[in-house]
Amino acid sequence: MNKKRVLITGGAGFLGSHLCDRFLKEGYYVIAMDNLITGNIKNIEHLMHRDDFEYFHGDVSNYVHVPGKLDYILHFASPASPIDYLKMPIQTLKVGSLGTHNCLGLARAKGARILVASTSEVYGDPTVHPQDESYWGNVNPIGPRGVYDEAKRFQEAITMAYHTYHKLETRIVRIFNTYGPRMRLNDGRALPAFLGQALRGEDLTVFGDGSQTRSFCFMDDLIEGIYRLLLSDYPYPVNIGNPDEISIKEFAEEIIKLTNSNQKIIYKPLPQDDPMQRQPNITKAKEILGWEPKISREEGLKITYEYFKSQL
Ligand SMILES: NC(=O)c1ccc[n+]([C@@H]2O[C@H](COP(=O)([O-])OP(=O)(O)OC[C@H]3O[C@@H](n4cnc5c(N)ncnc54)[C@H](O)[C@@H]3O)[C@@H](O)[C@H]2O)c1
């Protein structure tokens, strides 16, 4: 009864389900909420029997009510991969705006601290490299990716407004590309796409000439950073990601080597507004949270590859 209680929206998703695991391990009472539009109940099936865990189905953009006390809210509900938010543009805008508003209202009513999941996409196609938190970004609001990027930018703005106007305890994490077990093979992001193609014996599809860069963070590192940020007293955005940057072409070659496959790389046109480079500046996370990633891409990829193999 004395356990701290935490609500995790998007709790049946890739990151949300790992957060459920982590907070249970730390001794919290965890309440997960999800409408399963991109999540999967299998991600939290192993927790359903526990008496310190509960799950309820609901759309956070409509309404969110949790009886009893709440100490923390982690708002992670949102389509997160381009194919998902391009398919569900209105839901994406709603969950970043109305969903965040509902969570902030609940946090205020309960006197809870809230952490919202923002993204490196707030930097858009960045003109500053690497990206630090003071950079305002380069986003096309009416382009296809704008539904996600602007939803997250609004999310940050309303969260800061609740902090300054209502003195709510808020935290904002800007998450850079994260990967690991429980990602969906078909979610369209480069890493599961490449691993899926290699596992099925298909050629790997690179969009553009492959010179665009990304920086991939293993989920255990990210979860540690989020945990530390929640418990810190820092209300402004903090980048959490792995600065180890690689071009998409080199990354495809790395996957071919890792999976010991003979596949070729084939090239297709670059989607509109695809960012050309991505690398977090993590000075703030190091200084404020004492955090930096520990798991190399080689190690993280092996774990993820084994997971995907077991899924096929
Ligand atoms: N994975 C990454 O690399 C990454 C990078 C930046 C930001 N993020 C953010 O982290 C969060 C989680 O991303 P993920 O990769 O785990 O994606 P995911 O799709 O696996 O998880 C999102 C979860 O939210 C749920 N959801 C969506 N809309 C909802 C709604 N209206 N009400 C209730 N539940 C809803 C989905 O069903 C799903 O379970 C998202 O907010 C995303 O924007 C992720």
Side-chain angles (χ1 to χ4, degrees):
M1 292 305 279
N2 294 327
K3 281 178 184 276
K4 292 213 164 177
R5 286 163 54 94
V6 52
L7 169 70
I8 301 175
T9 74
F14 162 48
L15 297 179
S17 64
H18 286 295
L19 285 167
C20 291
D21 289 341
R22 174 64 188 261
F23 278 86
L24 286 167
K25 200 170 137 206
E26 299 288 346
Y28 291 75
Y29 185 94
V30 173
I31 304 158
M33 173 199 192
D34 208 295
N35 66 355
L36 301 180
I37 56 169
T38 58
N40 190 336
I41 207 76
K42 278 198 179 141
N43 290 337
I44 49 171
E45 222 164 40
H46 61 290
L47 305 175
M48 292 298 193
H49 68 282
R50 294 181 64 135
D51 55 13
D52 50 0
F53 178 78
E54 62 186 90
Y55 165 76
F56 70 98
H57 187 98
D59 183 336
V60 68
S61 303
N62 292 340
Y63 181 65
V64 53
H65 171 68
V66 175
K69 75 159 186 159
L70 263 187
D71 298 286
Y72 301 116
I73 299 175
L74 289 103
H75 179 36
F76 275 66
S78 172
S81 85
I83 55 167
D84 290 334
Y85 58 73
L86 295 178
K87 244 188 317 192
M88 296 178 277
I90 311 293
Q91 286 103 315
T92 304
L93 282 158
K94 282 173 79 175
V95 75
S97 52
L98 303 177
T100 304
H101 187 211
N102 288 338
C103 287
L104 289 164
L106 181 66
R108 194 169 164 231
K110 300 282 184 185
R113 179 181 299 176
I114 180 168
L115 180 147
V116 297
S118 187
T119 168
S120 54
E121 300 288 338
V122 298
Y123 302 124
D125 187 5
T127 54
V128 163
H129 193 73
Q131 296 81 53
D132 71 42
E133 292 85 347
S134 65
Y135 177 50
W136 291 355
N138 177 35
V139 171
N140 173 5
I142 57 161
R145 302 173 74 100
V147 296
Y148 181 68
D149 303 3
E150 295 296 1
K152 293 292 186 179
R153 289 169 69 92
F154 178 87
Q155 177 182 64
E156 289 198 5
I158 193 170
T159 300
M160 277 322 297
Y162 264 73
H163 175 72
T164 48
Y165 188 73
H166 289 308
K167 310 288 174 239
L168 192 69
E169 282 208 55
T170 55
R171 307 286 179 267
I172 300 173
V173 58
R174 288 187 182 154
I175 303 169
F176 283 65
N177 289 50
T178 302
Y179 68 98
R182 301 189 195 151
M183 273 187 116
R184 283 173 296 135
L185 259 179
N186 60 352
D187 87 357
R189 290 181 258 198
L191 188 145
F194 289 164
L195 280 177
Q197 287 172 323
L199 278 165
R200 289 189 298 267
E202 297 164 7
D203 290 336
L204 275 62
T205 312
V206 163
F207 294 99
D209 63 4
S211 62
Q212 70 274 30
T213 64
R214 295 292 183 270
S215 309
F216 298 100
C217 184
F218 189 63
M219 58 84 187
D220 277 350
D221 280 331
L222 174 85
I223 299 293
E224 178 63 30
I226 291 171
Y227 189 73
R228 289 188 191 198
L229 176 61
L230 178 72
L231 300 186
S232 77
D233 56 7
Y234 192 73
Y236 302 107
V238 177
N239 288 341
I240 300 283
N242 191 325
D244 185 7
E245 187 182 12
I246 186 170
S247 79
I248 288 293
K249 181 171 180 288
E250 284 169 319
F251 185 53
E253 288 162 354
E254 210 171 87
I255 300 260
I256 290 172
K257 200 166 147 215
L258 167 83
T259 56
N260 236 333
S261 46
N262 302 319
Q263 273 67 51
K264 297 194 299 292
I265 297 177
I266 53 170
Y267 294 87
K268 288 197 176 162
L270 199 62
Q272 189 188 335
D273 299 336
D274 201 48
M276 283 314 289
Q277 47 186 11
R278 259 307 148 64
Q279 187 192 34
N281 176 323
I282 58 165
T283 309
K284 220 177 222 185
K286 279 187 189 160
E287 284 174 5
I288 295 168
L289 312 176
W291 176 90
E292 62 184 317
K294 299 250 177 316
I295 297 157
S296 68
R297 200 169 51 243
E298 192 186 356
E299 202 182 334
L301 276 178
K302 275 190 195 144
I303 298 169
T304 312
Y305 178 52
E306 290 307 318
Y307 171 77
F308 282 144
K309 258 204 307 204
S310 73
Q311 297 300 299
L312 275 179

